[in-house]
Amino acid sequence: MNRGGLETMLMNYYRQMDRRKIQFDFLVHRTEEGHYDREITALGGKIYRMPPIKPGNYRRYFNLLDEFFADHPEYRVVHSHINENSSFILRAARRAGVPCRITHSHLSDLGLDFKLPFRLYARLAMKNNPSSYFACSKKAGQWLFGKKIMNSGKLIVLNNAVNVRDFSFNKTAREEIRQELTAGDRLVIGHIGRFNEQKNHDFLIEVFKAVHQKNKNALLVLAGEGHLRPIIERKVEKLGLSDNVRFLGVRSDVSKLLQGIDIFLFPSLFEGLPVVMIEAQAAGLRCIVSDTITSETDVTGRIKFISLRESAEIWAQTILETTYEHEDTSESLRRKGYDTATMAEWLSEYYMGQAASAGSR
């Protein structure tokens, strides 16, 4: 439970739940403490730890899952957020008699790595293990569940909602962040995301290089951690951009950080419906993003989609031609169901209704 998009979305909902009715417990796949662990326990939640899901470790993992549900017959709802690997979780939950078993898609592609055959196997193993099908977007739903589920009307798109009030424009916060960044009146381009292949940082730096060629004072702000960060840092140094790029690491004040940014840049290779894009729009930012991301992401009309086939220079020109005043988007986000204050109540009622109806059959 680190500060990734999925984890942040879960915490957004968890904080808003009436915990007299619904309590979240978390089953995670790492031994180290996550950024949100202490808050979870403070809110009354338990954290259970399993080993990572690895192809050579399937048998042991499946046995541990069966043991877990045998030891915890109290659970009426299991909501699994690990994409294709949810099939394994929900198979064990079905065997244990858990009535409400939700699989939730958060991606629209698998990417290419050595695990691909195993991930395809996991997706095929989904079968009738879920009782409910959720996704962060229609595109993400079709990718994981296929057209049959889409055409059946069973898919529920649960918005990656945020606490809209936290992201409303705040002039004081903007001044504080820009002072921290020593930004002054410079153009500040921001990106928040893990340093992995999916987020396409290599191309992002090429875009900023093209921006810098035309605007020497432009500043790029990168928040996040990941295994590719050292590689990207070396690239920035090699290109002579070190004075114009800030690596901020993981931030706990994303809502405040976004106040100090002028334009949000997000050239991902694939996504489901990224939470950070909702956060950026909630902060009233204009966003320049890759057209591999579903158009469902644009809930405020402040997103410009560009093909990754276009050159870095075209991306840079679009950024430089974009006006970057903040806009109050709160009402639009609330109206379209992207505020956790209202969506958490819906999710709570869904959990209770599914568990109750399944128990009566």
Side-chain angles (χ1 to χ4, degrees):
M1 287 300 293
N2 285 323
R3 291 185 184 276
L6 163 59
E7 296 86 350
T8 298
M9 183 274 286
L10 286 174
M11 294 305 295
N12 287 342
Y13 276 101
Y14 185 29
R15 296 181 188 111
Q16 295 285 345
M17 286 281 167
D18 182 346
R19 289 182 296 279
R20 296 168 300 180
K21 299 178 180 179
I22 298 286
Q23 179 57 257
F24 282 9
D25 292 339
F26 294 80
L27 191 150
V28 300
H29 295 84
R30 296 291 184 275
T31 57
E32 64 270 17
E33 182 180 76
H35 290 285
Y36 288 125
D37 285 12
R38 295 184 184 183
E39 182 182 359
I40 288 169
T41 55
L43 293 172
K46 301 182 182 72
I47 301 172
Y48 302 102
R49 301 189 185 277
M50 294 281 282
I53 305 173
K54 296 180 179 179
N57 199 34
Y58 278 169
R59 185 182 297 275
R60 175 171 176 262
Y61 181 76
F62 296 160
N63 289 336
L64 287 172
L65 275 179
D66 288 336
E67 290 174 12
F68 174 83
F69 285 110
D71 292 341
H72 296 281
E74 67 271 22
Y75 291 111
R76 306 294 291 161
V77 177
V78 174
H79 192 157
S80 182
H81 296 271
I82 51 176
N83 297 304
E84 73 282 353
N85 285 325
S86 293
S87 61
F88 304 141
I89 305 290
L90 299 183
R91 179 173 62 189
R94 178 175 60 82
R95 289 173 176 172
V98 177
C100 180
R101 305 176 305 278
I102 304 171
T103 177
H104 199 139
S105 177
H106 294 275
L107 288 176
S108 60
D109 201 335
L110 286 171
L112 295 174
D113 61 23
F114 76 95
K115 295 181 182 178
L116 182 60
F118 301 99
R119 300 182 75 179
L120 291 172
Y121 158 70
R123 186 166 64 172
L124 290 171
M126 195 73 69
K127 296 181 180 178
N128 63 338
N129 294 320
S131 62
S132 301
Y133 299 85
F134 279 28
C136 60
S137 68
K138 292 179 181 178
K139 184 177 181 180
Q142 180 163 335
W143 165 75
L144 184 57
F145 310 129
K147 292 182 179 179
K148 184 177 179 180
I149 293 298
M150 293 291 293
N151 295 335
S152 71
K154 292 181 179 179
L155 180 71
I156 295 174
V157 174
L158 181 68
N159 294 334
N160 284 346
V162 302
N163 190 340
V164 170
R165 183 178 59 187
D166 289 348
F167 291 86
S168 298
F169 181 69
N170 185 307
K171 185 178 179 181
T172 301
R174 178 174 173 82
E175 290 172 352
E176 290 175 355
I177 289 295
R178 293 182 76 87
Q179 184 175 1
E180 174 192 336
L181 299 172
T182 60
D185 60 355
R186 301 163 75 179
L187 171 64
V188 179
I189 301 166
H191 175 86
I192 299 171
R194 288 191 179 103
F195 283 83
N196 60 19
E197 291 80 1
Q198 175 189 346
K199 301 301 181 184
N200 205 13
H201 283 86
D202 189 73
F203 180 68
L204 190 153
I205 297 302
E206 291 295 328
V207 171
F208 182 70
K209 180 180 75 170
V211 169
H212 180 257
Q213 288 172 350
K214 297 184 178 182
N215 182 343
K216 299 297 183 184
N217 285 324
L219 185 66
L220 176 64
V221 173
L222 300 173
E225 289 290 352
H227 69 281
L228 293 182
R229 174 172 169 172
I231 296 173
I232 299 302
E233 287 178 328
R234 288 196 293 271
K235 177 167 184 166
V236 166
E237 184 177 1
K238 183 178 179 181
L239 292 173
L241 297 173
S242 297
D243 290 340
N244 296 78
V245 180
R246 306 277 191 272
F247 291 86
L248 303 184
V250 174
R251 299 283 295 220
S252 61
D253 61 344
V254 168
S255 60
K256 182 178 180 180
L257 176 63
L258 288 170
Q259 305 298 321
I261 290 170
D262 297 314
I263 293 176
F264 197 79
L265 179 60
F266 206 71
S268 288
L269 298 175
F270 57 89
E271 295 281 351
L273 196 151
V275 176
V276 71
M277 290 304 308
I278 303 303
E279 293 176 334
Q281 290 176 88
L285 290 173
R286 292 196 179 276
C287 309
I288 311 297
V289 311
S290 52
D291 66 359
T292 56
I293 301 173
T294 175
S295 60
E296 298 168 71
T297 306
D298 188 3
V299 295
T300 63
R302 294 179 71 78
I303 291 182
K304 172 70 174 179
F305 294 96
I306 308 179
S307 172
L308 289 173
R309 292 189 295 271
E310 296 287 1
S311 67
E313 288 72 23
I314 294 295
W315 278 69
Q317 190 61 38
T318 302
I319 290 169
L320 293 169
E321 291 174 352
T322 300
T323 58
Y324 49 86
E325 76 289 345
H326 287 246
E327 179 181 305
D328 184 357
T329 60
S330 55
E331 189 53 40
S332 175
L333 288 162
R334 290 190 182 101
R335 187 174 65 253
K336 295 179 181 179
Y338 281 90
D339 186 12
T340 48
T342 53
M343 293 307 296
E345 184 177 352
W346 179 91
L347 184 58
S348 177
E349 294 296 329
Y350 185 86
Y351 285 151
M352 293 190 293
Q354 289 294 304
S357 63
S360 65
R361 290 199 290 268

